[in-house]
Amino acid sequence: MEFKLKENTRNLTNDELLQDIREVAIKLNKDTITTSEYSKYGKADIRTIYRRFGSFKKALELCGLKTKGHNFRVAENDFIEDVKMVAKILNKRSITTGEYKIYGKYDWTHKVKKYKSWNNILALAGLEKTNNKRNTTDEMLLEEILKIWILLERQPTTADIRNGVSIYSLNTYARHFGSWSNALKKFVEWINDDNVKHSSNVEQEEIIPSESLKHKTPREINLRLRYLVLKRDNFKCCICGSSPAKDPSVELHIDHIVPWSKGGETIIDNLQTLCSKCNLGKSNIDS
């Protein structure tokens, strides 16, 4: 996954927006596309489509694409029950729109438009609102952008943040960086800065088990290093090849190849991506 800012699409004409929708359909080799598919592969924010054409269905019609089979209208009870089901699957008292996008059945963007916010939908489902934390650092915010960028598989937008995909509000990002746009610029600088890829330039020395063994790196694997390992391993388990892209139930862990307890350092060359099942099996062998 490459981290770079999207081009400004506010000045695209209606014809250019419709052509972009057609190009996404061609890319996916489909005679229709969903809002989620357009959000992932298209140039513009999905809300731009709504503002220009009134609905995504109308835009599809103007493109000559099919609309049959889309869940443009979903019964409120069915949608709310599905939100509850996703929370139950994840065993969480609150879920983000990004999590619902992965595990839910329906297009959540239409419901957010109706109920004004994702938090209002969570309240209807009897779930807790997404947190709006204030005591945060710049790095915590940058790590949150990393999480949601990976989750959405695209650059997050202000609409995504308003809809609850982040645990922090737009105001929080603005207080720290001046604006959401500045936050994204800072994030791209941070994630692509080779000078701060710490723990990767520490050499792994000969392992000598000792109760008083001293480490050069901390045991905890920070989010940035986790991402670098995941990216290197193509977001797949190094043992069985399983991936969340093929099976959403797969949970990937970052594992020390040479265990920390036996002198292994927290460096990229001593880390690997394992699914939870393979990681548990490896732990049983190591012990």
Side-chain angles (χ1 to χ4, degrees):
M1 182 182 296
E2 184 179 2
F3 292 96
K4 61 181 180 179
L5 299 181
K6 265 190 174 182
E7 60 181 297
N8 191 329
T9 58
R10 293 181 180 178
N11 296 325
L12 290 179
T13 66
N14 286 359
D15 287 342
E16 288 171 333
L17 286 173
L18 293 175
Q19 181 57 33
D20 189 50
I21 294 174
R22 294 189 191 99
E23 289 176 358
V24 172
I26 292 172
K27 180 177 182 178
L28 299 178
N29 193 27
K30 299 177 68 174
D31 56 11
T32 189
I33 60 172
T34 65
T35 54
S36 295
E37 289 170 333
Y38 182 76
S39 293
K40 181 175 180 179
Y41 297 104
K43 294 180 180 179
D45 189 306
I46 193 66
R47 290 198 171 193
T48 301
I49 305 296
Y50 292 142
R51 285 195 299 270
R52 298 284 188 91
F53 305 106
S55 69
F56 191 66
K57 180 179 180 181
K58 181 64 176 178
L60 290 177
E61 291 174 347
L62 291 172
C63 289
L65 298 173
K66 292 183 178 181
T67 59
K68 187 176 180 180
H70 277 269
N71 287 319
F72 290 109
R73 294 184 179 181
V74 179
E76 178 180 325
N77 289 342
D78 291 342
F79 176 71
I80 297 300
E81 286 302 314
D82 195 50
V83 172
K84 292 179 181 178
M85 181 58 67
V86 171
K88 185 176 181 181
I89 290 172
L90 299 177
N91 193 28
K92 299 178 67 174
R93 292 180 293 180
S94 182
I95 61 172
T96 65
T97 54
E99 289 168 332
Y100 183 78
K101 173 188 172 184
I102 294 175
Y103 298 100
K105 294 180 181 178
Y106 309 114
D107 183 354
W108 57 268
T109 56
H110 294 81
K111 294 301 181 181
V112 168
K113 186 177 181 182
K114 177 179 179 180
Y115 294 107
K116 307 303 181 185
S117 75
W118 181 249
N119 277 334
N120 288 341
I121 291 173
L122 292 177
L124 288 173
L127 300 173
E128 296 179 0
K129 293 183 178 181
T130 52
N131 293 326
N132 195 9
K133 300 178 180 178
R134 303 180 68 88
N135 298 323
T136 57
T137 64
D138 286 1
E139 186 165 3
M140 289 168 65
L141 292 172
L142 295 174
E143 289 184 347
E144 178 66 9
I145 294 176
L146 172 58
K147 288 179 183 178
I148 59 181
W149 198 314
I150 292 173
L151 183 65
L152 297 176
E153 298 182 2
R154 60 173 171 80
Q155 177 185 317
T157 66
T158 54
D160 295 321
I161 306 304
R162 290 193 187 98
N163 292 338
V165 72
S166 171
I167 64 173
Y168 305 108
S169 69
L170 281 174
N171 287 337
T172 302
Y173 290 103
R175 282 197 303 271
H176 281 255
F177 303 106
S179 67
W180 172 246
S181 177
N182 286 342
L184 288 176
K185 291 177 181 177
K186 184 67 175 178
F187 167 77
V188 171
E189 293 174 1
W190 174 75
I191 197 65
N192 293 316
D193 186 357
D194 292 333
N195 293 326
V196 294
K197 292 178 181 178
H198 53 282
S199 299
S200 61
N201 59 353
V202 178
E203 294 183 0
Q204 183 75 28
E205 298 181 349
E206 182 182 359
I207 305 305
I208 304 176
S210 170
E211 294 181 359
S212 60
L213 190 65
K214 294 182 179 180
H215 287 275
K216 294 182 178 180
T217 55
R219 182 171 187 170
E220 182 181 355
I221 307 168
N222 64 54
L223 181 64
R224 199 171 189 285
L225 186 54
R226 286 176 183 272
Y227 166 72
L228 293 174
V229 177
L230 286 167
K231 180 182 178 182
R232 183 200 62 196
D233 296 339
N234 296 316
F235 294 87
K236 296 179 181 179
C237 175
C238 291
I239 294 179
C240 70
S242 59
S243 168
K246 297 180 180 179
D247 182 358
S249 67
V250 172
E251 181 181 353
L252 295 180
H253 296 172
I254 305 300
D255 168 69
H256 285 82
I257 298 173
V258 177
W260 173 266
S261 61
K262 297 181 180 179
E265 293 289 354
T266 305
I267 60 175
I268 194 166
D269 291 337
N270 190 45
L271 298 174
Q272 64 180 341
T273 302
L274 297 182
C275 68
S276 56
K277 292 181 180 178
C278 290
N279 194 28
L280 178 60
K282 180 177 180 293
S283 298
N284 291 336
I285 293 174
D286 289 338
S287 61

